[in-house]
Amino acid sequence: MKVTDITCHILQSKVERPFTSARGWLYGTRASCIVEISTDAGITGWGECYGPAAVNKAVIETQYRSRVIGRDPFDVEVVWEDLYNRIKDYGATGFAITALSGIDIALWDVMGRATGKPIHKLIGGAHRTSVQAYATGLYFIDMDRLVEEAVEEALAYKEQGFRAIKMKIGLGDPKLDFQRVKAVREAIGPDVQLAVDANHCFTVPQAIRLGRMLEPLDLMWFEEPISPEDHEGYAEVTRALDMAVAGGENDFTRWGFRDIIAKKAMDIVQPDLCAAGGISECRKIAAMASAHGVECVPHAWGSAIGLAATVQWLAALPDTPPAFRPIPPMLEFEQTPNPLRDELAKQPIVQVNGMVQVPDAPGIGIEVDREALARWKVA
């Protein structure tokens, strides 16, 4: 079997209620670059790239596409190394890797469909048939009702069955952040897990100060407290706090995670399958984390394709630690309205009572609805 073509689809949908986080970016649209790989066997594979879709499309079409056409999809790691070594003089991180991630996921999808096996069977088997999902939400929408809207949204997720929630912080006032998190914790009660995500908006001293304020609220983790480039700063924050510190969604490849993991600069690493290098590379990152006693809880953001691929990877991740009461990895299930997540698959990934079943259909486990693809395609 040989690859005959790579097609990039830029999908975009409008957000009815724009939202923002500590970064200050107003999300008015949701967009993604979807990678479609065709083969001479009539088998099609799907992948997704994290980040601005048009840039990913340009990188694939100008740098990668010609080097993949004619290759055997089962040589997926060979292809990965060839593409990485082709581009690393110009971009060993960022778009060079997010674009490569989409190709890698699509090649694994081809292999799964060719063998009639879900991806988790190809990468070692499933440790679990379902994964616990946590709801990511509680962004900043109504700036006059920041506390009230957070409580209302959190209670809605609890009512839907979620047993874990992640909320945004970083309002510029530590006391307001604390008030908002405390109100949510009191509303949902002690039996629903709660994490906070600062989208790397704090300095090291600010993160430590706020983290110490938040420690009594029994949080799962403090995500991206500081800028992703500052690995030494992460180590300072991690050592200073008696709560787990998480990060890594903006890091790339095994080399980007190597020092973070080796020095335990974070308690939890969060590589994104669609950003850090695809399934081939994220397997290596997770293995490295396991060897150093660091948890791996993947980041997920995007369409149904990236979500489904992440579920496949999560099924194959071992518990941490493999002890009497292990900690299974959780699925980030972002909850802002997104038709690219909810309508692109004929049978979308859904949660029931906070759990998501691992699809056992071939490849990533879902079928792309081409009518929905055409509906949201802009380029």
Side-chain angles (χ1 to χ4, degrees), residues 51-370:
V55 182
N56 282 307
K57 183 175 188 285
V59 173
I60 290 172
E61 292 182 343
T62 63
Q63 301 300 313
Y64 292 155
R65 180 175 176 271
S66 63
R67 299 184 73 87
V68 180
I69 290 176
R71 306 295 290 267
D72 183 341
F74 282 82
D75 290 339
V76 59
E77 299 254 8
V78 178
V79 171
W80 196 101
E81 294 291 336
D82 176 66
L83 298 184
Y84 178 75
N85 284 292
R86 167 67 182 84
I87 204 71
K88 70 179 179 182
D89 284 357
Y90 320 108
T93 63
F95 290 114
I97 308 304
T98 58
L100 176 51
S101 300
I103 292 174
D104 184 82
I105 294 168
L107 290 174
W108 279 98
D109 191 31
V110 168
M111 289 191 292
R113 294 175 191 275
T115 58
K117 301 289 186 181
I119 288 173
H120 67 256
K121 287 291 187 184
L122 305 183
I123 59 176
H127 289 272
R128 56 196 63 83
T129 57
S130 62
V131 294
Q132 182 181 348
Y134 70 88
T136 290
L138 285 72
Y139 290 83
F140 314 140
I141 300 175
D142 186 343
M143 302 306 286
D144 295 322
R145 299 184 70 252
L146 287 168
V147 175
E148 295 87 349
E149 73 176 1
V151 168
E152 292 164 2
E153 188 176 341
L155 288 174
Y157 296 145
K158 181 179 179 179
E159 180 67 22
Q160 292 170 29
F162 282 103
R163 289 174 284 166
I165 298 168
K166 185 172 75 179
M167 65 182 294
K168 298 295 181 176
I169 61 172
L171 289 163
D173 180 350
K175 293 180 181 179
L176 180 54
D177 275 324
F178 175 78
Q179 177 189 356
R180 193 166 176 264
V181 178
K182 183 173 183 289
V184 170
R185 165 49 77 206
E186 291 174 347
I188 62 177
D191 295 332
V192 177
Q193 295 175 289
L194 181 63
V196 295
D197 182 359
N199 291 108
H200 51 82
C201 75
F202 296 121
T203 64
V204 169
Q206 289 170 339
I208 293 173
R209 179 189 176 200
L210 179 57
R212 287 174 176 163
M213 293 170 64
L214 295 171
E215 282 176 341
L217 301 181
D218 187 26
L219 302 181
M220 284 193 297
W221 64 70
F222 187 176
E223 183 171 328
E224 281 207 309
I226 64 173
S227 186
E229 303 93 339
D230 188 4
H231 296 166
E232 294 296 333
Y234 266 97
E236 288 186 55
V237 176
T238 298
R239 301 293 180 270
L241 298 180
D242 291 330
M243 75 166 81
V245 172
E249 69 184 70
N250 293 306
D251 288 285
F252 307 89
T253 75
R254 74 198 88 155
W255 298 282
F257 281 87
R258 178 186 57 198
D259 293 340
I260 295 171
I261 291 170
K263 68 178 60 172
K264 294 192 175 182
M266 303 169 187
D267 300 292
I268 302 168
V269 290
Q270 299 172 302
D272 189 304
L273 203 68
C274 301
I279 293 167
S280 297
E281 195 68 357
C282 284
R283 294 173 70 199
K284 300 177 177 69
I285 294 166
M288 189 161 49
S290 176
H292 288 81
V294 174
E295 285 186 67
C296 182
V297 182
H299 174 264
W301 166 277
S303 80
I305 293 170
L307 183 63
T310 301
V311 172
Q312 293 291 328
W313 181 36
L314 278 167
L317 278 180
D319 296 334
T320 305
F324 178 64
R325 298 196 66 174
I327 304 171
M330 290 194 295
L331 170 68
E332 178 168 19
F333 208 149
E334 204 269 336
Q335 291 295 295
T336 56
N338 182 5
L340 307 185
R341 178 192 64 229
D342 300 333
E343 299 178 20
L344 190 57
K346 292 181 179 179
Q347 293 183 314
I349 301 293
V350 297
Q351 69 86 22
V352 178
N353 293 323
M355 302 298 293
V356 169
Q357 294 299 310
V358 177
D360 57 7
I364 59 175
I366 61 169
E367 291 296 332
V368 172
D369 185 334
R370 287 195 178 271

Side-chain angles (χ1 to χ4, degrees), residues 7-22:
T7 305
C8 293
H9 307 274
I10 298 181
L11 309 185
Q12 183 172 293
S13 65
K14 185 178 179 181
V15 174
E16 291 185 6
R17 293 190 70 202
F19 58 92
T20 189
S21 65

